[in-house]
């Protein structure tokens, strides 16, 4: 990933926060037919190893778990909200007419080594953790849990998936939020996004002014 210094995010807690808030990652592996990408919800376990661990599962019908070998290199891409930025939103544009459009976003690339876990206990644990985490976000008075269904049904569904474990070896963050622009341009562009309902990128842009710059 091209990463100019002013867009680099190195705070581990911020990288983990993005993964936790936007857990649908793109798992990229190199198989016998070349590069393959699968979109999977991941559970981050930051306490395992020096860089953390990612857990997920794939359908048994998905050939990826048979095509990958334990220890193969994997890349998982996570991305938060993203927004188009118009040059018209920069006050300096109207003075000097030297601005062009761009796109702002936050992304995390996680590199690691993959292990296929085709055992019921591991898969059950991954599903339970993913369910508990994401059901809590729904705000439901009574969140769904596996015991809401019959044991026979859950056992059958679990038999149809395979676990994926990724030992994280490197994590890279890119916060492309107009840090290379004048402060007045950044503030006004963030305000334009806010007025358009794009609150996440707007807040992230203003956050770079208050924190790391």
């Amino acid at each position: 990933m091209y990463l100019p210094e002013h867009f680099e995010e190195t705070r581990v807690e911020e990288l983990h926060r993005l993964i936790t808030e936007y857990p649908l990652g793109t798992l990229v592996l190199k198989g016998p037919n070349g590069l393959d990408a699968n979109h999977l919800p991941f559970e981050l376990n930051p306490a395992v190893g020096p860089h953390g661990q990612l857990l997920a599962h794939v359908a048994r019908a998905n050939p990826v778990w048979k095509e990958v070998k334990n220890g193969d290199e994997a890349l998982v891409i996570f991305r938060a909200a993203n927004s188009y930025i118009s040059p018209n939103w920069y006050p300096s544009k109207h003075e000097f007419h030297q601005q062009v459009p761009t796109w702002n976003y936050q992304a995390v690339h996680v590199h690691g080594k993959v292990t296929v876990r085709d055992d019921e206990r591991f898969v059950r644990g991954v599903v339970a953790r993913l369910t508990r985490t994401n059901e809590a976000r729904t705000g439901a008075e009574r969140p769904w849990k596996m015991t809401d269904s019959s044991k026979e049904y859950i056992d059958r569904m679990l038999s149809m998936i395979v676990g994926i474990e990724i030992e994280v070896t490197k994590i890279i963050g890119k916060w492309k939020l107009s840090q290379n622009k004048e402060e007045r341009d950044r503030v006004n562009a963030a305000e334009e996004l806010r007025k358009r309902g794009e609150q996440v990128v707007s807040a992230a842009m203003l956050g770079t002014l208050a924190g790391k710059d």
Side-chain angles (χ1 to χ4, degrees):
M1 176 168 61
Y2 174 57
L3 188 59
E5 184 178 352
H6 45 263
F7 294 147
E8 185 176 12
E9 177 56 72
T10 59
R11 293 171 294 176
V12 174
E13 66 275 13
E14 281 297 292
L15 304 179
H16 285 179
R17 179 188 60 77
L18 186 144
I19 294 172
T20 301
E21 292 184 6
Y22 299 89
L24 185 68
T26 303
L27 171 64
V28 182
L29 296 163
K30 187 175 182 181
N33 300 312
L35 293 175
D36 186 29
N38 285 269
H39 307 277
L40 311 170
F42 283 88
E43 178 80 9
L44 171 67
N45 188 344
V48 175
H51 302 287
Q53 177 191 68
L54 291 175
L55 305 174
H57 59 79
V58 298
R60 187 172 292 278
N62 187 335
V64 65
W65 69 275
K66 295 179 181 177
E67 295 174 348
V68 70
K69 300 188 299 294
N70 288 344
D72 279 358
E73 293 290 330
L75 168 66
V76 187
I77 301 169
F78 298 91
R79 195 187 70 189
N82 62 98
S83 297
Y84 172 79
I85 305 296
S86 170
N88 289 327
W89 300 345
Y90 296 139
S92 65
K93 177 265 183 189
H94 303 284
E95 295 178 18
F96 307 110
H97 304 284
Q98 293 183 352
Q99 296 287 358
V100 294
T102 192
W103 209 282
N104 280 359
Y105 59 88
Q106 295 172 281
V108 174
H109 285 196
V110 178
H111 297 257
K113 296 185 182 297
V114 64
T115 300
V116 175
R117 297 291 301 271
D118 188 15
D119 61 270
E120 191 272 347
R121 182 177 179 182
F122 177 87
V123 170
R124 186 180 292 271
V126 170
V127 172
R129 290 180 63 172
L130 283 168
T131 300
R132 184 166 55 249
T133 297
N134 292 289
E135 280 291 320
R137 293 176 175 169
T138 69
E141 185 176 334
R142 187 177 182 276
W144 184 89
K145 54 186 183 299
M146 286 192 286
T147 53
D148 286 355
S149 299
S150 69
K151 182 181 183 304
E152 292 74 21
Y153 173 76
I154 293 297
D155 288 348
R156 185 168 76 254
M157 298 304 292
L158 291 175
S159 72
M160 298 170 65
I161 59 178
V162 178
I164 298 290
E165 178 182 278
I166 296 176
E167 174 194 351
V168 179
T169 57
K170 182 170 62 174
I171 183 168
I172 302 169
K174 184 173 183 178
W175 272 212
K176 184 182 176 298
L177 299 168
S178 299
Q179 297 97 314
N180 57 333
K181 302 296 182 182
E182 293 182 34
E183 181 171 334
R184 60 174 176 158
D185 290 339
R186 295 161 69 179
V187 170
N188 197 69
E191 174 61 15
E192 289 293 336
L193 289 177
R194 186 195 65 78
K195 290 190 293 188
R196 287 162 174 77
E198 300 185 63
Q199 309 290 356
V200 174
V201 178
S202 175
M205 290 176 66
L206 294 176
T208 64
L209 293 167
K212 177 176 178 265
D213 202 339

